[in-house]
Amino acid sequence: MNIAIFFGTETGNAEMLAEDIATELEDQHETTVANLADSAPEALQVADLNVIVCSSYDDGDLPASAKPFVERVQSEMPDLTGVRFAIFGLGDSEYAETYGFGSMKLAELLVSRGAQALGERPVHDAAGDELPEDMAMPWLLEIIEAADA
Ligand SMILES: Cc1cc2nc3c(=O)[nH]c(=O)nc-3n(C[C@H](O)[C@H](O)[C@H](O)COP(=O)(O)O)c2cc1C
């Protein structure tokens, strides 16, 4: 399967997780990794499945590297019908009122343009003990299996 992995980050955690996911998948799938900051909305229309890793910043805002992408989607209003994506959030439960809001806002925007969200949207808690990849890989393998069927 062609799997495009995108990350939206402020301080690099989402990029590290995106690279880890690509490493885990590369034996069985063709993968690419890209910063949302360098991606046009049409980049979502290439692969069979898009995996997006996105953190949250400043009162539940999008991280800096996701902002230009979101602004392009909002201004260009692309039709994303047929696009499939799975999104994984990075957050911190210390920010209780805006926990995981960055990934939530991005997911809602893509769905509003017609894209299909696969699976649930987990949020890794930076205040917890679990490693992001330990949480992301079982979640993603289940989605890939279902998407491949
Ligand atoms: C100044 C600041 C603001 C943050 N705001 C939020 C927030 O509103 N909601 C949330 O869930 N996490 C928030 N976080 C936690 C980050 O999303 C979390 O640390 C994440 O792992 C960062 O990933 P990144 O390095 O890819 O940006 C914040 C972190 C900092 C330092």
Side-chain angles (χ1 to χ4, degrees):
M1 193 189 264
N2 276 310
I3 301 177
I5 305 161
F6 298 92
F7 60 88
T9 189
E10 185 91 21
T11 60
N13 291 338
E15 179 172 7
M16 276 193 286
L17 179 57
E19 296 286 356
D20 286 346
I21 289 172
T23 302
E24 292 282 341
L25 295 181
E26 68 191 5
D27 282 350
Q28 303 219 24
H29 303 279
E30 287 145 54
T31 61
T32 56
V33 178
N35 191 337
L36 282 173
D38 305 323
S39 305
E42 304 82 66
L44 294 175
Q45 284 158 333
V46 178
D48 304 313
L49 172 66
N50 300 286
V51 177
I52 303 174
V53 183
C54 184
S55 67
S56 300
Y57 255 74
D58 297 338
D59 294 327
D61 208 352
L62 290 150
S65 98
K67 285 184 178 173
F69 178 85
V70 162
E71 282 159 16
R72 282 191 66 172
V73 174
Q74 286 168 336
S75 65
E76 295 171 18
M77 302 280 278
D79 179 2
L80 298 179
T81 305
V83 166
R84 300 193 298 178
F85 73 96
I87 187 164
F88 187 91
L90 294 182
D92 187 330
S93 59
E94 300 281 329
Y95 298 88
E97 288 178 13
T98 56
Y99 182 51
F101 271 29
S103 55
M104 179 188 72
K105 288 176 178 173
L106 182 51
E108 286 179 354
L109 177 66
L110 297 179
V111 168
S112 79
R113 300 306 318 142
Q116 182 190 5
L118 302 187
E120 61 190 65
R121 178 181 56 87
V123 179
H124 174 262
D125 185 1
D129 294 331
E130 198 172 10
L131 291 172
E133 56 269 33
D134 290 347
M135 196 175 159
M137 286 318 299
W139 161 81
L140 184 53
L141 292 176
E142 203 172 301
I143 288 173
I144 291 171
E145 199 178 309
D148 222 359

